[in-house]
Amino acid sequence: MAKNQRDESQEGRRRSRKEILRERHHARQTRQLRIAVGAIVALLVLVLIVAVVVEYVVRPRQPVATVNGTNVALNDWQNRVRYQRAQFIIALEDQLEAFQDVSLVQQFAQQQIALLQQPELLGELVLEQMIDEELIRQAALERGIRVSDEEVEERLGEQFNYFGGDSPTPMPTPTDTVEPTPSLTPIPTEVITEVVPTNTPMPTVGADATQPALPTATPVSEEAYQSQLNELLSRYREMGVSEATYRNALRAQIFQEKLADRLAEEQNLSSEEEMASIFVISFGAEEEAEEGLQRIEEEGYLEVWNRIRSAPADAEEPEPGTAAEALWRTQEQLAQQYGAAVAATAFSLPLEEPSDILIQGQPDNQGIENPAIPARFHLIQVSGREMRELGEAAFENRKRQLVADLVAEHRQGGLAQIEILPLWRARVPSQPILDPVFLAPPTQPTVPQPMATPVPDVPEEPIE
């Protein structure tokens, strides 16, 4: 019996050894499998981490353009696109709140609404603007111009009429006085039975003429400023725009203004320009202009101008043409109002001498015949020409034009190395989204339809 127990014990030990070997083999396989699975999981996690780093760290820093070796980063450009979209949308919402008429807002903001519906076009415009801003910044830095955080903070306050507790800088006092139009005694004709008083035209104020002093902005308190600023920043944040983006846009604006001032000093930009005052008789047909020129040769320019100017609107036989006076305009202003021919003649024609017929409208500014532009025929006489002080707004425009000319020279003259990379086209932000209320077709007034006249019932005649 003892022998049988030993045999069973030995057989149990032999079975345990086999099981141990199998367990060891199984454990080894399990360990290897776990290692393989762990390696795969680690690889997937690594790939995910790399993808996240590339998407949110590396790619946002990739350039969408380079300007003389300086990158315009994808993230910065996307932020500016969102900022521009937010600006448009906030302006549209404020206009709708003010006018309470979406059709009116659509009428005056067609371009902004169209750009918001074309993300790629808006993105391209913003990218071109940022390239210009980088050229301006580089040109400013070359001249030792810097923009501090304090200047940005000051400009931010000026946006809300906050001047750090001080009064705003007063607007410049105008130095020129617009001269009134000479009053001419009307010449009665057979049609006019009584002397009609001269309809003295109001002085027309151009961009270079003296403007009345603008009202000084009413400064606000610091509490009101902070409240308005926080409200605006809150609206921007809701649209995905950061305060840093807003401040960077202000910084770019200050760089441009400082560079404009420096360029004006470097080029000794004059605040004066030759201006002319002219009388103008305008016609819609060349035959009328030829008849007017013949009358001027017979009677004199001012007599004809005065008759047209003084003619009542309800005359039985109205005078052909219209008469006006342009007071102290630059050649550029006259070209914008009456065409290049009138502008050139106004600065070459002797004083008090009538001009020949001058045509405006065809060809257009590019020298191309444009039948869509109705032609106008002008007869002018120059009443004065002298050097005069430019208005403040016109002088600022001249300084800004110096910056635009510098940018154009660098971009078109090959002075700047600019490269636009195709990465931006697949990354154009379409947020924030415009409220569909601005995209609704404008409502048309309901035209009442005439009621149909009822047709009386005609009794049928019996058929015989």
Side-chain angles (χ1 to χ4, degrees):
M1 183 174 179
K3 182 179 179 180
N4 291 337
Q5 291 179 349
R6 285 197 303 270
D7 292 343
E8 290 177 0
S9 175
Q10 290 177 358
E11 185 178 354
R13 285 196 298 271
R14 284 196 297 269
R15 286 198 300 270
S16 296
R17 245 185 243 109
K18 291 179 181 179
E19 290 177 355
I20 290 173
L21 291 175
R22 282 197 297 268
E23 289 175 359
R24 289 178 179 176
H25 180 69
H26 179 70
R28 187 166 53 251
Q29 288 181 333
T30 303
R31 186 168 57 252
Q32 291 174 349
L33 180 60
R34 289 176 178 175
I35 292 173
V37 172
I40 293 173
V41 171
L43 181 60
L44 292 176
V45 171
L46 180 61
V47 170
L48 180 61
I49 292 174
V50 170
V52 170
V53 171
V54 169
E55 183 66 25
Y56 294 100
V57 178
V58 177
R59 183 160 290 167
R61 298 179 181 177
Q62 288 182 321
V64 291
T66 59
V67 184
N68 295 325
T70 301
N71 293 337
V72 177
L74 172 65
N75 188 48
D76 294 337
W77 166 72
Q78 289 178 324
N79 288 336
R80 281 296 292 274
V81 174
R82 295 187 188 96
Y83 170 68
Q84 186 62 73
R85 294 182 66 87
Q87 272 195 315
F88 285 162
I89 292 174
I90 288 175
L92 291 170
E93 291 175 348
D94 290 346
Q95 291 172 12
L96 181 58
E97 183 179 356
F99 298 121
Q100 298 295 315
D101 186 348
V102 69
S103 298
L104 189 62
V105 176
Q106 290 173 329
Q107 179 181 356
F108 288 100
Q110 294 179 4
Q111 184 178 7
Q112 290 86 344
I113 294 175
L115 284 174
L116 287 169
Q117 294 179 275
Q118 303 176 70
E120 186 169 332
L121 176 57
L122 180 58
E124 184 175 6
L125 293 175
V126 171
L127 181 56
E128 293 291 341
Q129 178 183 350
M130 294 185 70
I131 292 173
D132 290 347
E133 290 175 355
E134 179 58 30
L135 288 172
I136 291 171
R137 189 187 71 86
Q138 292 177 9
L141 294 178
E142 290 175 359
R143 291 164 172 80
I145 298 173
R146 302 290 186 274
V147 176
S148 65
D149 294 340
E150 290 75 15
E151 289 174 301
V152 175
E153 189 68 34
E154 181 179 353
R155 176 59 57 87
L156 187 60
E158 291 174 2
Q159 304 292 317
F160 299 90
N161 293 333
Y162 174 69
F163 304 93
D166 300 327
S167 298
T169 304
M171 297 297 294
T173 303
T175 55
D176 298 339
T177 303
V178 178
E179 299 180 4
T181 303
S183 178
L184 303 175
T185 304
I187 303 174
T189 62
E190 297 180 358
V191 178
I192 304 176
T193 57
E194 60 182 11
V195 177
V196 180
T198 304
N199 181 14
T200 304
M202 294 295 292
T204 305
V205 180
D208 284 340
T210 302
Q211 304 271 3
L214 297 176
T216 303
T218 303
V220 301
S221 64
E222 183 176 1
E223 293 77 13
Y225 159 60
Q226 289 296 336
S227 175
Q228 295 175 21
L229 175 60
N230 291 336
E231 180 182 355
L232 178 62
L233 294 179
S234 176
R235 296 178 72 178
Y236 276 140
R237 281 192 296 269
E238 292 174 357
M239 298 182 183
V241 178
S242 66
E243 181 178 353
T245 302
Y246 181 29
R247 289 177 178 271
N248 287 338
L250 292 179
R251 187 182 299 273
Q253 181 181 349
I254 299 172
F255 262 120
Q256 179 176 345
E257 294 173 0
K258 283 191 165 186
L259 180 60
D261 292 337
R262 181 64 60 84
L263 292 176
E265 295 175 3
E266 293 175 356
Q267 301 183 25
N268 295 320
L269 183 65
S270 175
S271 60
E272 292 185 342
E273 187 167 347
E274 187 178 17
M275 302 184 191
S277 289
I278 62 173
F279 294 100
V280 185
I281 304 176
S282 304
F283 303 92
E286 188 172 7
E287 296 77 10
E288 295 178 347
E290 291 174 350
E291 293 176 3
L293 183 60
Q294 183 176 357
R295 289 167 58 189
I296 288 173
E297 293 174 352
E298 296 172 355
E299 306 173 21
Y301 186 94
L302 292 182
E303 285 72 13
V304 175
W305 182 93
N306 182 68
R307 182 185 292 114
I308 296 174
R309 185 68 180 180
S310 304
D314 57 352
E316 295 182 3
E317 297 183 8
E319 289 285 339
T322 58
E325 184 179 13
L327 288 169
W328 303 121
R329 306 293 179 83
T330 64
Q331 186 167 347
E332 180 182 357
Q333 287 178 310
L334 289 175
Q336 292 175 352
Q337 186 171 4
Y338 294 109
V342 169
T345 304
F347 287 85
S348 60
L349 187 70
L351 300 182
E352 313 299 336
E353 180 178 312
S355 71
D356 293 327
I357 298 175
L358 305 171
I359 304 176
Q360 174 193 9
Q362 296 179 348
D364 62 13
N365 295 335
Q366 286 72 37
I368 302 173
E369 293 290 337
N370 188 350
I373 302 177
R376 296 286 291 171
F377 303 87
H378 305 294
L379 299 170
I380 73 169
Q381 178 170 297
V382 183
S383 59
R385 202 163 42 229
E386 63 184 47
M387 296 294 296
R388 296 177 70 89
E389 191 77 15
L390 288 170
E392 183 69 17
F395 188 57
E396 290 298 323
N397 287 336
R398 296 295 170 86
K399 291 195 296 185
R400 284 193 289 269
Q401 186 60 44
L402 294 179
V403 177
D405 293 343
L406 181 142
V407 170
E409 180 182 4
H410 279 71
R411 296 193 66 157
Q412 302 170 10
L415 301 180
Q417 299 296 324
I418 299 173
E419 181 182 6
I420 298 178
L421 305 174
L423 171 65
W424 69 272
R425 291 191 180 276
R427 299 279 174 169
V428 182
S430 57
Q431 302 285 341
I433 299 176
L434 180 64
D435 193 321
V437 69
F438 295 101
L439 305 178
T443 57
Q444 298 292 338
T446 304
V447 179
Q449 299 294 331
M451 296 182 63
T453 304
V455 180
D457 294 332
V458 179
E460 297 182 359
E461 296 181 359
I463 301 176
E464 297 179 356

